[in-house]
């Protein structure tokens, strides 16, 4: 008891200078304590890899693309030197012809994988082209009020006419080739991207920080790219991911109708069209290209949704 009383008396006698001291200010220490290691794309990647199914499907697609090149290298025949041989027509898959032969007797293995490369290349180019064009037009459409009426009328005119009619006229009047198909699809597929971007730009355009930027004289392009565009990334990624299977499906439909890339440029759609008259007796002619189209379509749809959710800042901690 006496020891506790002695301790209490000693604490009361301690000088205030001994209890408190000033900490020296250090700018370096202040920066360290206020530093955050948050990275937007790092957070996107971390959220994406949490979805195991999307990661597996991404690996499947990458493996499919890589194998399309490997398959042509290991194949026994070269597509560019294929010669029709009616005596070998409709050979079922065996050790010599791994995917069998078509109605002309040509090796189906090299045709399928060459067509896979063509279709994937077409879809990636179109997705990138319509993404750039759609985002640029959508930002101007939603931000610059004087352009709203004009772009809206252009959108309504193009949207009111089915795409199949445009593609039919282009195929009959201009021609059919890989380049023409890419340009045509980009010119008519930017509509959905531009509309989605425009609607979001309208939401963010008059936020307080954007009003302050305009008051300070910040250029329009800087406001769009710095203040608004980051909020649109998830929507843009989702649209790009959906555009790829959509392009492959549209190309397959056009090729089925004879309006696609032309007989000189093989594609999955062209192979499916050629198999329509024989698939009941020789189902392998339809099976191989149809499976590849289905895998690419389903893969990009699911991966696109997963990556869009991962890139949404609302889902970041």
């Amino acid at each position: 008891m006496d020891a506790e009383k002695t301790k209490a008396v000693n604490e009361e006698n301690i000088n205030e200078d001994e209890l408190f001291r000033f900490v020296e200010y250090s700018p370096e220490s202040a920066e360290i304590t206020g530093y955050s290691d948050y990275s937007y794309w790092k957070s996107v990647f971390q959220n994406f890899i949490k979805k195991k199914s999307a990661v597996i499907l991404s690996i499947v697609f990458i493996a499919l693309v890589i194998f399309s090149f490997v398959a042509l290298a290991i194949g026994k025949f070269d597509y560019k030197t294929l010669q029709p041989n009616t005596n070998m027509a409709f050979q079922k898959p065996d050790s010599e012809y791994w995917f069998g032969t078509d109605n002309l007797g040509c090796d189906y293995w090299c045709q399928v994988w060459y067509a896979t490369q063509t279709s994937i290349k077409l879809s990636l180019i179109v997705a990138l082209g319509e993404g750039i064009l759609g985002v640029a037009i959508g930002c101007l459409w939603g931000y610059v009020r004087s352009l709203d009426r004009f772009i809206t009328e252009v959108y309504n005119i193009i949207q009111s006419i089915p795409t199949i009619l445009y593609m039919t006229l282009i195929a009959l009047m201009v021609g059919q080739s890989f380049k023409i198909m890419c340009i045509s699809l980009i010119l008519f597929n930017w509509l959905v991207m531009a509309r989605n971007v425009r609607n979001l730009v309208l939401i963010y355009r008059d936020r307080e920080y954007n009003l302050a930027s305009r008051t300070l004289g910040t250029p329009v392009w800087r406001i769009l790219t710095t203040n608004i565009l980051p909020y649109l990334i998830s929507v843009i990624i989702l649209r790009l991911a959906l555009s790829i299977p959509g392009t492959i499906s549209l190309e397959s439909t056009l090729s089925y109708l004879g309006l696609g890339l032309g007989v000189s440029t093989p594609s999955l759609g062209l192979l499916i069209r050629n198999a329509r008259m024989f698939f009941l007796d020789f189902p392998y002619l339809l099976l191989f290209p149809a499976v590849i189209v289905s895998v690419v379509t389903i893969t990009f749809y699911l991966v696109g949704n997963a990556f869009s959710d991962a890139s949404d800042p609302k889902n970041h901690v």
Side-chain angles (χ1 to χ4, degrees):
M1 191 69 178
D2 294 338
E4 293 179 357
K5 290 181 178 179
T6 303
K7 182 178 181 181
V9 172
N10 293 334
E11 290 179 353
E12 291 178 358
N13 293 332
I14 294 177
N15 191 347
E16 290 185 356
D17 294 337
E18 299 177 357
L19 291 176
F20 303 99
R21 64 184 179 84
F22 290 99
V23 178
E24 295 182 1
Y25 175 72
S26 172
E28 293 79 8
S29 300
E31 291 182 2
I32 293 175
T33 56
Y35 173 74
S36 174
D37 62 349
Y38 171 79
S39 171
Y40 173 77
W41 290 110
K42 180 181 178 181
S43 181
V44 169
F45 179 74
Q46 291 175 344
N47 288 340
F48 181 75
I49 61 177
K50 292 178 182 178
K51 301 182 179 182
K52 304 301 181 183
S53 60
V55 174
I56 294 174
L57 290 175
S58 300
I59 295 174
V60 169
F61 174 76
I62 295 173
L64 179 66
V65 174
I66 295 175
F67 186 75
S68 66
F69 291 91
V70 175
L72 293 178
I74 65 176
K76 297 182 178 182
F77 302 91
D78 184 7
Y79 172 78
K80 296 181 180 180
T81 60
L82 279 179
Q83 296 295 331
N85 185 0
T86 54
N87 294 328
M88 301 299 296
F90 299 120
Q91 291 288 323
K92 293 184 178 180
D94 55 24
S95 59
E96 180 69 15
Y97 299 98
W98 297 336
F99 277 5
T101 61
D102 60 8
N103 59 311
L104 299 177
C106 297
D107 179 57
Y108 209 50
W109 170 273
C110 60
Q111 292 188 66
V112 168
W113 293 113
Y114 193 90
T116 301
Q117 289 185 17
T118 302
S119 296
I120 292 177
K121 188 188 303 182
L122 173 71
S123 61
L124 292 176
I125 293 175
V126 172
L128 181 61
E130 73 175 62
I132 296 174
L133 185 62
V135 170
I137 294 177
C139 287
L140 294 176
W141 188 5
Y143 193 85
V144 182
R145 298 176 185 271
S146 59
L147 295 177
D148 183 70
R149 179 66 179 273
F150 173 74
I151 299 179
T152 300
E153 294 300 328
V154 173
Y155 173 88
N156 291 333
I157 292 173
I158 299 176
Q159 181 69 16
S160 61
I161 301 176
T163 304
I164 193 70
L165 295 182
Y166 290 118
M167 301 307 298
T168 301
L169 291 175
I170 292 173
L172 296 177
M173 299 177 63
V174 180
Q176 296 173 265
S177 68
F178 184 87
K179 184 178 180 179
I180 292 174
M181 175 68 74
C182 288
I183 296 175
S184 302
L185 292 178
I186 291 173
L187 290 177
F188 298 113
N189 283 3
W190 59 268
L191 300 174
V192 178
M193 175 72 80
R195 183 187 62 202
N196 293 338
V197 171
R198 179 248 187 187
N199 293 338
L200 290 175
V201 171
L202 288 175
I203 296 174
Y204 295 111
R205 179 181 61 187
D206 294 328
R207 295 282 176 93
E208 290 79 2
Y209 52 86
N210 288 325
L211 293 176
S213 295
R214 290 205 297 270
T215 303
L216 295 173
T218 305
V220 173
W221 66 269
R222 186 172 180 82
I223 294 176
L224 289 173
T225 56
T226 305
N227 295 1
I228 298 179
L229 194 59
Y231 291 96
L232 313 180
I233 291 178
S234 61
V235 175
I236 294 172
I237 291 176
L238 177 60
R239 178 56 202 162
L240 290 177
L242 296 179
S243 172
I244 291 173
T247 300
I248 293 178
S249 299
L250 180 58
E251 183 275 323
S252 300
T253 302
L254 293 173
S255 296
Y256 186 83
L257 298 174
L259 304 172
L261 299 175
V263 294
S264 61
T265 307
S267 65
L268 295 174
L270 182 62
L271 296 182
I272 293 174
R273 187 195 74 173
N274 294 339
R276 62 183 176 180
M277 298 177 61
F278 312 109
F279 76 92
L280 291 177
D281 298 321
F282 308 99
Y284 66 88
L285 293 176
L286 180 64
L287 177 64
F288 296 121
V291 168
I292 294 176
V293 170
S294 301
V295 169
V296 174
T297 302
I298 295 172
T299 297
F300 261 97
Y301 177 76
L302 296 178
V303 172
N305 278 284
F307 201 81
S308 176
D309 293 338
S311 61
D312 190 347
K314 297 178 183 178
N315 297 328
H316 296 189
V317 178

